Amino acid sequence: MNTLINSASRNMMRAVVLCEPGGPKNLVLTELPMPQPRPGWVRIAIRAFGLNRSELHTRLGLSQGVTFPRVLGIEAVGVVDACPDGSVPLGQQVATMLGGMGRVFDGGYAEYVVVPCSQVIQFQSNLPWDVLGAVPETLQTAYGSLSVGLDLQAGQSLLIRGGTSALGLAAATLAKEIGATVIATTRQMDRINALLAHGVDYAIVDQGEINVEVRKIFPRGVDAALELVGTPTLSDTLRATRVHGTVCFTGMLSNQWTVKDFYPIDYIPRGVRLTSYAGGASDLPAAVLQKYLEQVAANMSTLGPIHTYSLDEIPRAHADMEHNRVFGKIVGVIKS
């Protein structure tokens, strides 16, 4: 409770601000006025926040609808320390994500963030904050991709294109819990064993085309495929999928968003279904988040590696993310 009282009396906070698109050095640790919530919004004292490729896209100037200067960050976890309408209890642990965070309004690369009440998910957990910070947006996207995008069922086969990303690892964990057989790809040979240790059934080194290798394992093709690399590999992923199978386009690790001169009849193999997934806080039920956190705490689910950075290390974190220097989830931690 003392933390809440002290934070409420502060006039300034630290935040990482992007004044204009460019390299990691454009992310500058700055002191800003403490944000004040209006009715229908809450202020969260941030404890940790995940870093995502979405923020890399924004820093590079690839995201639409962003105004500068801007505090980046599409997700965060922490405790509510101000809520004008009383709809969320003070001190309540919450996660928040997307809905304009870090683009339309300031996001999670800060000590505090103000977001709509509808954009928070309440939970209870004794897990360390860096672990909690690795979960929300990744879980929401993995859960939505498998359930809405693919309708994955027990006994089916799933290809995860981009398996060593934090999202790929989360999707593999959820898919195995569903009862699917999982193939995951990596571009680096030295990460094959890490994928297998994470629980995937087959790991493939991705050199641009993998459909032949996939069909050596599943001659008819996989039942479902999760495309996380982006448009450069989408055509090959479609060719690795069986007739009446489904490919869900979710990620853009390649930073390439569109298919040039897209002609569907030539591009999509006959009988293969192509869907997509994008969601927000409302697409991750609180019960799903709570159950997942409890499974992590009980060592029943694994997140994969977590790499932590302080606020003043965010430029280095972005450089590591951009150049794929780390395997797993990058998390910013607020040090008290």
Side-chain angles (χ1 to χ4, degrees):
M1 191 65 179
N2 289 336
T3 301
L4 298 178
I5 294 173
N6 291 337
S7 67
S9 66
R10 293 177 58 180
N11 296 319
M12 304 293 288
M13 70 167 186
R14 295 182 305 152
V16 177
V17 177
L18 179 67
C19 290
E20 62 180 4
K25 69 179 186 308
N26 284 24
L27 295 164
V28 179
L29 183 59
T30 309
E31 287 235 329
L32 296 178
M34 178 75 75
Q36 302 300 323
R38 59 184 183 269
W41 290 56
V42 298
R43 186 171 65 205
I44 301 169
I46 297 175
R47 299 292 185 258
F49 55 90
L51 277 73
N52 301 276
R53 302 289 294 196
S54 170
E55 294 130 27
L56 173 59
H57 297 155
T58 300
R59 175 172 64 74
L60 294 174
L62 301 175
S63 300
Q64 296 180 344
V66 182
T67 57
F68 300 97
R70 178 63 64 216
V71 177
L72 301 189
I74 65 170
E75 65 172 320
V77 293
V79 296
V80 171
D81 91 318
C83 183
D85 61 16
S87 60
V88 185
L90 299 185
Q92 172 65 52
Q93 290 179 305
V94 293
T96 185
M97 70 190 83
L98 299 165
M101 272 185 75
R103 292 186 176 186
V104 179
F105 57 90
D106 285 342
Y109 290 13
E111 292 179 312
Y112 295 85
V113 68
V114 169
V115 300
C117 294
S118 60
Q119 202 170 305
V120 299
I121 308 171
Q122 300 183 35
F123 66 88
Q124 298 289 340
S125 178
N126 291 321
L127 287 167
W129 283 110
D130 62 327
V131 175
L132 294 170
V135 172
E137 199 278 335
T138 299
L139 177 63
Q140 181 273 132
T141 307
Y143 175 78
S145 295
L146 297 186
S147 60
V148 176
L150 291 171
D151 190 26
L152 188 68
Q153 303 295 315
Q156 290 188 322
S157 54
L158 170 69
L159 167 64
I160 301 176
R161 195 77 181 255
T164 55
S165 64
L167 177 52
L169 295 172
T173 296
L174 294 182
K176 292 303 297 180
E177 291 175 357
I178 290 171
T181 300
V182 177
I183 306 176
T185 71
T186 175
R187 289 181 296 171
Q188 301 184 37
M189 177 66 77
D190 60 2
R191 293 182 179 177
I192 288 289
N193 289 335
L195 280 173
L196 296 173
H198 189 74
V200 308
D201 299 284
Y202 304 94
I204 296 176
V205 176
D206 190 345
Q207 297 180 331
E209 289 194 4
I210 61 164
N211 73 87
V212 173
E213 292 299 312
V214 169
R215 287 181 179 272
K216 288 179 182 177
I217 303 169
F218 295 98
R220 295 174 58 242
V222 292
D223 299 307
L226 181 57
E227 179 58 75
L228 301 180
V229 175
T231 58
T233 56
L234 177 59
S235 177
D236 184 59
T237 298
L238 287 162
R239 294 197 301 275
T241 306
R242 68 169 175 82
V243 172
H244 297 162
T246 304
V247 176
C248 179
F249 187 95
T250 295
M252 292 170 287
L253 295 170
S254 63
N255 297 340
Q256 296 185 37
W257 298 21
T258 59
V259 177
K260 185 178 180 181
D261 300 326
F262 179 65
Y263 176 45
I265 292 177
D266 179 61
Y267 191 87
I268 303 174
R270 65 176 187 173
V272 177
R273 303 179 177 111
L274 175 60
T275 69
S276 65
Y277 179 77
S282 62
D283 296 297
L284 178 60
V288 172
L289 174 60
Q290 186 65 47
K291 179 182 177 181
Y292 188 76
L293 295 177
E294 291 170 359
Q295 290 175 328
V296 171
N299 293 318
M300 296 170 59
S301 291
T302 177
L303 299 176
I306 298 173
H307 307 272
T308 61
Y309 299 76
S310 61
L311 272 180
D312 59 351
E313 294 174 324
I314 295 305
R316 179 165 63 86
H318 258 249
D320 288 346
M321 176 167 55
E322 183 173 5
H323 299 290
N324 299 310
R325 293 174 184 149
V326 296
F327 162 48
K329 183 72 173 184
I330 296 176
V331 175
V333 177
I334 304 299
K335 297 179 180 179
S336 57

